[in-house]
Structure formats: C-alpha cells, structure tokens
Amino acid sequence: MIATAVVATPLIAALLCTAPILRRHGRWVNAVAALISGSLALVVLGSGTVSAARAPWIPTLGAGYHVELDPLGAIFVACSSLLFAMSAVMSRGVPDARAFHALLAVLAGAVGGVIVARDLFLLFTFWELALIPIALLGMRWGRGMRLSAIGGVLVLDAVLLVAFASIAAIRGSADMASLAERPLAPSIQVLPLLLVLPAVAARLGVFPLHAVTAPLEERVPDTTAGFAVGALVFAAFAVFVRVAVVLFPDALAAFAPGLVAVAAIGVAYSAAVATRRPGARAVSEWIGRSQRNVAALGLLTATLSGLGGAALVLVATAPSVAAVVAAAGVARRRPASSLVGLAALAGAPLTGGFAGVLLVLATAYVRYPVAAAVAASAFALWAIAVLPVAREELGPPRPPRAGPRQRDALVLVPLLAFVVAVGVAPSIVTDRIPPEILGGAAQR
Amino acid sequence: MTPDLIGALPAIVLVAGALVVAALHRISPADERATILLGAVTIIAAGVALSAAPVGATVSGLVVQDTRSISLGVLICAAAALAMLADAPRALASPAPAPALVALALLSTGGALMCAAAGDLLTLFVGLQVVWVPLALASATESSGRAPRGSALVSIAVALLFAAGATLLFLVLGTTQIGALARADDRPARAGIALVFVAIAQSATLAPFMLSRPRARAIAGGHDSIALVVPSLAGFAALVRVGSIAGVNPALTLEWSVTLAVLAAATIVLATLAAGVERSLSGLVAFAMTAQLGIAAAALALGNEEFGGLFAVLASASLATVGASAAISGAGLETRDALRGLGRARPLSTAALALVWLSAAGVPPLLGFAARLAVYEAAARAQLAWLVIIAALASAAWTVIALGLITESLRDGPHRWPAFDAASGTALLVCAVLVVLLGIAPETVFAF
C-alpha cells in the first residue's frame, strides 16, 4: 500500500496541478505531495519493514504490477521527496505554471516508480516516464535545451528495452523476483548486460557516457537541477542493483576490472573539468559527476560496503548540487546554504559526500588499489574547484539578484540537514543494504 | 434471420446509411454537421451489429465471420466513426457537399468490413475497390471532376495486379476461396499469391508501395484521416485473411514471414526518415501512421499466434492518427510553427494531443508502448532481434519528434485562436482517453 502510495501521490498531485481552481497553488500542491511521500518513506525507514503490492497487469507479456518499498528504497524516496519539495517551492513565477508543476509532479511519481518497481516492464515504464518531464522542462523552461540532447538517452533506453523484452521472452516473465530465483547461465549473461549497462551508465553519469545526459542536466531550470540529477541517478542505482547485480552477476564480475578502471578515470576527469568551469552551477554539476563515478566504483566492487558507500554518495550528491545551484548568486545572504552544499561537494568531513566517498575508496582499495588511488586524487581536485566558487559566492558585495527568499529556508534547511545527517551517521544508509542483494556472494 | 444475412448485416447497414444520407441530401438539404453525426452513428451501428454477429456466419463462403474478422471489423468501425468526427471541419470547409463526402466515407468503410470478412478473393477484390473508389470520387467532386491522374493510374494498376493474381490462382487451384491457398505450393500459385500480396500491401501502406501513399491526401477531399485509416486497416485485414492461410502453408511460411519482416523493417525506417524532413503536420501524421503500420507488419510476420499484438498495434495506430488529425483539422494547424501558443490557449486539447503523439511514439504507459512491447517480445522469441532493434530505435526517433511538437505547442504564440471544432475536439479527447486507459490496461486489447 505504501509502495503504491509513494508513486500515486505525486501523480495525483500532477492531475490536481492542472485543475483551473488550483492554478495558482501548484507549488503548494506539490509540496504537500512531497511531504506525504517523504513521510511514508520515513514510516518504512523507521519500522524497517517492507511494503509490497502485487496485482496482475499484462499477463500476455508476463508483466505484473509488483512494487516493493524496502528501507533502502525508502532513503531514496525520502531524498527524492526533499528535492521535489525544493524544486516546487522555489519555482515561483514560472510561465505556464500549471504545466510546469504538473510535469514536476509526474517526474516525482516516475522516480518513485523506478525505485519501487519489481517488474522489468513496470520499471521501464517509470524509467522512460521520468525522461519526458526532464526533457520538456529543459526545452520549455530551461536554458535552451535542444531536441538532440535527448536523442542519445532515448537510443540507449531503446537498447535497454530490447534487453528487457528479450529476458522476458526467454524466461516467460518480467517479474524480478522470479527471474532472480533462476539466474541466467553465465554464458548468456554477457549480451543482456552489455545492453543494460550503457543506459545505466549514462544516467549515472559514468565516463564517457556522461556526455549523453550532460546536455539534459545542464539545461534544466536552476530550481530543478538537483531534482533532475537525483531522478536520473536514483533510477540508475535502482536498475543497477535490482537488475544488473541480481540477474547478471557473473558477467558483471568478468567486466568489473575494466569498468572500474573507466570509472576511476571518470572520477579524475570530471574533477579536473570542474576546476576549469566557471560558476557555481557548472562546478557543482561536474563535481557531482565526479562523485557519481565514485558511486559507480562502489557499485562495481559488488560488496555490501561498496553498495552502501555508493548509496551514500548518491543521496548526498543530488541534494548538494541542488543546494548550491539554488543558492548561487545569493550566498552572501544565504551563506550557510551555499557553504554546506559546497562543502559536501568537496567531500568535507561530516557530510554525506565524505562518508560515502571514503567508504567506496576504502572498499575499492582492497581489490583495485590503483583505481582507488586515482579516484582519491579527486579530493584535491574538488577542493581546488570549490575554492574559487566559494570566494565568488562569499566575496565582496555585488548588485542584488533574485534568488531564494526567507521562506525557501523551509526546504533548503531540511535538504542540507539531510546531507549532514548522512555524513554524521552513515549507517542510516549503509545498514539498509540487504545482504541478499548480492545473493550468495555477499561480502563485507 | 439466416446466418448469411447476419454475416452481411454490417455492410448492409453501411450501404443503407450511405443511400439514406445521399437521399436526404437530395430531398431536403439538412444541416451538414448533423449529416456528419448521422454518418458517425451509422458506422457505430454497423460496429454494434458486427459485434453481435455469431461466429461462423457466411454468405455462401464469400464472407466469413470469425473472431478475427469481427475484431478487425469493430476496430474499423470505431476508427472510421472517430475519423468522421475528426474530419468534420475539413469536410464542412470542402467545396463538395458534406453529405456526399459522408456517403462516400460510409461506402469506403463498408468496403473495409468486406475485406475483414472476406472468405473469397472476389470478395477481397470488391472490398478493396469499394474502399478506394469512393475516396477517389470524393477527391473528384472536390477538384471539380479532375481526379489526380497519377493516383487513378496507380489505383487501376493495383486493381489489375490483384485481378491477375486472383485469375492465376483460380487457374491453378480451381477456386478463388482463400482457404484453398493452403494447398498452393507450385510456382504459378506462388506468383498468384505474390501479385495479390502486392496489391494488398499497397493498401496497407507497406514499403515500397507506401511511396504512392501521399496520394491518399490528394484523393481524400475533406477526409484526411478516413483516407489514412480506413484503407490501411482494410489492407491489414486483407493481409490477415490471406496470411492466416498462406502463412501456415508449409511451402509458403518462411517466404511469408521473411518477406513481411523485411517489408516491416523497410517501412519503419523509410517512414521515420521521411518524417525527419517533413514540415507539414498532416504529412507527419501520415508518416507516423506508416511507421506504426510497419510494426503491425512485423507482428503479422510472427504468425497467427500474435494476432493480439497485431490488433493492439493497429488500434494504437488508428487512435493516434485520428487523434492527431482531429487536432490538426479542429484547430486549423498546418505546420509545426502553427502549434505555438496552443498550450496556453487550449491546454486540454494540447494535453490530449501530447498524449496521442507520445502514444504514436511508443512512450509508456500509453497504448502504443504496450502494443510495441507485445511485438518486441514475440519477435525476440522468434529470433528476430534485429527487427526489434530497428523498431525500438525508430520509436526513440519518434519520441524526439513528439517532444519537439509538444515543446512547440508550449511556446508563446498568437493570442487569438479560433474556437476548437466540437466534433473534432470530441474525437481528440476520446482518442486521448483511450490511449491512456488501454495503455494502463492493455490486456483488454490483447484479448481481442
């Protein structure tokens, strides 16, 4: 019930946002929806139980409505709800507000759907549905997003769908639980994995496929930047953990060394690019990409601590990007917002970014010491990239610019508190990784 | 009532309706809009009569009513009724009297029903001609008697091809019964089937025969979406009838499947590429339908077991085409630029149009996605992964096109928009609601 509510609540909000009677209140409709989704996620987190729902959907195709919200998923839903609330509340005065807020709510529902879906076709439905609002937000309200920006992502998603359809055709079912009970033979895991990984890597922002989603992330409106990033990376994490790790463990293990090397290069590359970019938004986006490559590194270690570190990094990165971008230009009036966000991006202690990255590097060092060493260089590069931004944001007085208002602290404060909380107590996330995610090969 | 009469009842309803409309117009010229509504109601009545027909009713073997013919017939009636409403503004603005166009559209729909229920090649031939001739006459009445020469020549050539093929089959098999194709295994019989197939494929808008497709708009007169949807559905209904027998003939199965698979891929690719350079919205709609018909051809290539997927694709293609056409005719849209400002002026219509376009592109959770998924899964099982990849990539391209159109409609534009025509607006909304509901619960469609 809760799992379904997490998806349904934002979608209902999307419908309400289009109602003429509520056309001036779309922000608050979405804020309420975010509050409800977040609260439901906290209930699951607090109780430690799993909320599931099953129903027939398309028996002809082996597809069923199967959703599950476990504590790990609840963390992502909670984070997503915070980002949703922030994007909604801070997006005031946008033209065609009804359409804008309706799309935002659809995005929130789609992200929740990807996190809770336990059927391949249901997961793909929400996976693809998440892309539509991001594209429309960027093209209509954003920074000049072109149609070609979305072409690459759609091509990779088409390949992903081919993989899912093939798996369902071979196995006769798209239910992930039943697929996990009968893993594919190692020899036939390779091709499906090669079809699934590019789409996941692109959304995760892993080098070099970060170039596919970069045009999307960089062109969405400022107030939705963090939410868009979160939507993409949370979906990628869900697919990697629920599909790639579970269904193709042998193929993943075979490709891991090469992929780890690529991820390590991605960490260093993105961090280096960040040092050359002007402005808070560009710097935060590239540092975010660098940290997402660190998360990929953690995922590829196929250990519980690696997964925990990756999850920590991802739930800290998106809010950090969101906070920095949202507070950009007004840091003198909102120094705390910008400082905490920048600190988290730089991997400062007591932030989620620090705890997650450290956990991933420590885990990766056991098997891939060179890759871990290369990735560790990013700490210095992040600091180098952040310092000029901090100097600019907190420097001498400049002409006032429009930006977050007093009441925007309502959403910025919880967001930043979340980033600090997962840094101070990373076990909130790491203890939610169920050992059975890695099957019989679970390693600490 | 005898089974023969029951089997022919839907066609009788449509022909009678056409005569009534024509007679009423002569006797007492009525409100043209009311005539269009009467035409839509008549088509719906024919569909209801069809759905009530008992399976197995025949007219001396010329007409066969099995579950597939009934399903396709109901789809044809539903699509034609919606298309008639969608085309209302253009029909009313056409130089030809709307009742004449309505009567001709009813005849064309009757011809499509004959194709769906054909048990004999003669019935199929007559059905295809009854589909196309009224549409050509509609164009002739609009252009003051000067029917496009090229289109007429193509129509005649296609009819001759079919006649030649049917004659060849009669000479070899001794009968024109479609069921006799099951024993066609020598070269003359295969040649006959090939000729018949070419004629049908032209109606079904498969590549390369689709190159003559723009003539559909030239001969449509005031019925753009009817001219797109009805002949295509008739063509596919004919393919189902012929394919259900030829496809299981051991001597023909492989050729049938391979030919259809290749044509399907070519249709999808050509239509998608052509859409990339098409500026007019009507042209985009035509190419979108053609691309979806390519996927339907892929479903047909997979055999008789995949009728559910085929039906879903045809339904999705019809709804998307009629819905988009309704928006174009209802709001007077010609090019992509004309969409600007539609979002602010007509938000509900814009949302409906967006849903219809996204369904045509195969975006979940709409009907177009579920229909494609059924075909993809079946193709994957049949080791036709290459076809799945082509179709999936084409779907990605169409999604880009659809998003571009939606974005255009959300941009600022003219502050004064004409009132959206009620009939076409209704058709658009019905199509949008159906693509959403049937997308969420597609099992309803697969069960046909």
Side-chain angles (χ1 to χ4, degrees), chain A residues 173-261:
Chain A
S173 170
D175 185 75
M176 291 183 203
S178 60
L179 289 171
E181 285 169 8
R182 296 181 301 138
L184 296 169
S187 57
I188 60 172
Q189 287 181 18
V190 174
L191 186 56
L193 180 66
L194 290 178
L195 295 178
V196 168
L197 269 187
V200 173
R203 291 205 185 195
L204 204 50
V206 178
F207 178 86
L209 290 172
H210 67 281
V212 176
T213 48
L216 285 179
E217 298 168 12
E218 291 167 1
R219 300 292 179 181
V220 291
D222 286 349
T223 52
T224 62
F227 190 24
V229 167
L232 293 173
V233 302
F234 295 167
F237 180 86
V239 171
F240 188 92
V241 167
R242 308 281 179 203
V243 179
V245 170
V246 173
L247 300 184
F248 320 118
D250 302 294
L252 202 55
F255 282 106
L259 294 174
V260 162

Side-chain angles (χ1 to χ4, degrees), chain A residues 207 262-272 290 293-294 297 374-376 378 381-382:
Chain A
F207 178 86
V262 171
I265 293 171
V267 173
Y269 168 78
S270 300
S290 182
N293 277 268
V294 173
L297 201 59
V374 169
L381 292 172
W382 295 340

Side-chain angles (χ1 to χ4, degrees), chain B:
Chain B
M1 293 176 84
T2 64
D4 291 355
L5 198 56
I6 293 172
L9 193 58
I12 292 172
V13 168
L14 286 169
V15 171
L19 293 173
V20 165
V21 165
L24 278 178
H25 176 65
R26 289 278 183 189
I27 298 168
S28 169
D31 177 18
E32 292 194 334
R33 187 173 287 275
T35 310
I36 292 173
L37 283 176
L38 176 62
V41 168
T42 305
I43 295 175
I44 293 171
V48 170
L50 184 60
S51 60
V55 173
T58 66
V59 181
S60 306
L62 295 176
V63 170
V64 176
Q65 292 290 18
D66 55 16
T67 50
R68 292 186 181 189
S69 67
I70 292 173
S71 303
L72 287 169
V74 168
L75 176 61
I76 288 168
C77 289
L82 285 171
M84 187 157 293
L85 293 176
D87 290 338
R90 293 198 182 191
L92 292 170
S94 170
L101 297 175
V102 169
L104 292 171
L106 288 173
L107 282 176
S108 185
T109 307
L113 291 185
M114 285 177 68
C115 292
D120 191 278
L121 289 174
L122 284 176
T123 312
L124 203 49
F125 177 79
V126 171
L128 285 173
Q129 303 320 304
V130 175
V131 167
W132 281 109
V133 170
L135 295 176
L137 285 174
S139 170
T141 55
E142 177 174 88
S143 55
S144 304
R146 298 189 310 274
R149 192 174 301 162
S151 307
L153 285 175
V154 171
S155 301
I156 293 169
V158 166
L160 287 175
L161 276 175
F162 191 108
T167 304
L168 204 53
L169 285 167
F170 176 73
L171 291 173
V172 172
L173 302 173
T175 176
T176 53
Q177 287 279 314
I178 292 178
L181 295 179
R183 49 186 171 85
D185 55 5
D186 55 5
R187 200 167 289 183
R190 287 186 187 188
I193 293 175
L195 290 171
V196 167
F197 175 80
V198 166
I200 298 173
Q202 199 279 338
S203 182
T205 329
L206 296 182
F209 315 108
M210 56 176 276
L211 296 174
S212 67
R213 197 59 179 152
R215 75 186 178 97
R217 287 167 41 213
I219 71 169
H223 285 300
D224 274 15
S225 56
I226 280 191
L228 279 174
V229 168
V230 171
S232 300
L233 290 178
F236 266 90
L239 282 175
V240 167
R241 291 249 61 90
V242 173
S244 63
I245 304 300
V248 297
N249 182 335
L252 298 174
T253 303
L254 186 62
E255 286 174 15
W256 180 261
S257 297
V258 169
T259 303
L260 273 174
V262 170
L263 288 184
T267 304
I268 294 169
V269 170
L270 288 174
T272 306
L273 289 175
V277 296
E278 179 63 44
R279 300 311 304 170
S280 82
L281 288 175
S282 299
L284 263 182
V285 172
F287 286 125
M289 171 135 203
T290 305
Q292 292 173 88
L293 292 176
I295 297 173
L300 206 55
L302 298 169
N304 293 331
E305 305 79 34
E306 305 306 332
F307 181 76
L310 168 66
F311 186 83
V313 175
L314 290 176
S316 164
S318 303
L319 288 173
T321 303
V322 172
S325 296
I328 290 168
S329 64
L333 305 169
E334 293 295 332
T335 61
R336 297 185 198 215
D337 293 342
L339 287 166
R340 290 188 183 177
L342 187 66
R344 190 166 291 181
R346 304 277 182 268
L348 188 59
S349 303
T350 305
L353 183 59
L355 288 171
V356 157
W357 271 114
L358 290 173
S359 178
V363 173
L366 304 170
L367 178 59
F369 171 73
R372 279 171 170 77
L373 201 53
V375 178
Y376 293 172
E377 204 173 313
R381 267 197 301 271
Q383 312 290 322
L384 290 174
W386 61 272
L387 192 52
V388 181
I389 291 171
I390 288 173
L393 291 176
S395 177
W398 279 103
T399 305
V400 172
I401 293 172
L403 287 173
L405 294 174
I406 296 169
T407 305
E408 208 63 38
S409 64
L410 293 176
R411 293 196 198 284
D412 292 330
H415 296 293
R416 305 190 102 190
W417 278 84
F420 211 103
D421 182 85
S424 51
T426 303
L428 172 60
L429 280 177
V430 168
C431 290
V433 168
L434 284 176
V435 298
V436 172
L437 292 180
L438 294 177
I440 295 172
E443 202 64 26
T444 320
V445 180
F446 293 139
F448 267 86

Side-chain angles (χ1 to χ4, degrees), chain A residues 2 5 15 58 105 110 120 134 163 196 275 296 326 340 352 359 403 429:
Chain A
I2 292 180
L15 285 175
I58 318 175
L120 290 179
I134 292 175
V196 168
T275 63
V340 175
L359 192 55
V429 175

Side-chain angles (χ1 to χ4, degrees), chain A residues 11-107:
Chain A
L11 295 178
I12 292 170
L15 285 175
L16 291 175
C17 285
T18 60
I21 198 170
L22 292 171
R23 67 177 179 274
R24 295 184 198 281
H25 307 290
R27 295 162 59 209
W28 305 113
V29 169
N30 280 346
V32 169
L35 187 65
I36 294 172
S37 295
S39 304
L40 290 172
L42 290 176
V43 165
V44 171
L45 200 57
S47 64
T49 56
V50 174
S51 164
R54 269 185 194 264
W57 181 30
I58 318 175
T60 307
L61 305 182
Y65 179 77
H66 181 192
V67 292
E68 231 175 71
L69 184 61
D70 55 11
L72 176 62
I75 292 170
F76 285 99
V77 171
C79 185
S80 168
S81 299
L82 277 174
L83 291 166
F84 177 30
M86 191 209 87
S87 297
V89 171
M90 296 184 76
S91 298
R92 76 176 60 75
V94 292
D96 298 317
R98 275 199 288 172
F100 180 91
H101 289 290
L103 287 171
L104 214 56
V106 169
L107 179 57

Side-chain angles (χ1 to χ4, degrees), chain A residues 233-329:
Chain A
V233 302
F234 295 167
F237 180 86
V239 171
F240 188 92
V241 167
R242 308 281 179 203
V243 179
V245 170
V246 173
L247 300 184
F248 320 118
D250 302 294
L252 202 55
F255 282 106
L259 294 174
V260 162
V262 171
I265 293 171
V267 173
Y269 168 78
S270 300
V273 172
T275 63
R276 309 298 300 170
R277 286 285 191 231
R281 176 163 179 169
V283 167
S284 62
E285 283 170 352
W286 280 98
I287 294 180
R289 255 172 226 127
S290 182
Q291 294 192 344
R292 284 146 66 183
N293 277 268
V294 173
L297 201 59
L299 291 171
L300 290 165
T301 60
T303 59
L304 286 177
S305 52
L307 288 186
L312 260 178
V313 169
L314 293 179
V315 298
T317 298
S320 306
V321 170
V324 170
V325 174

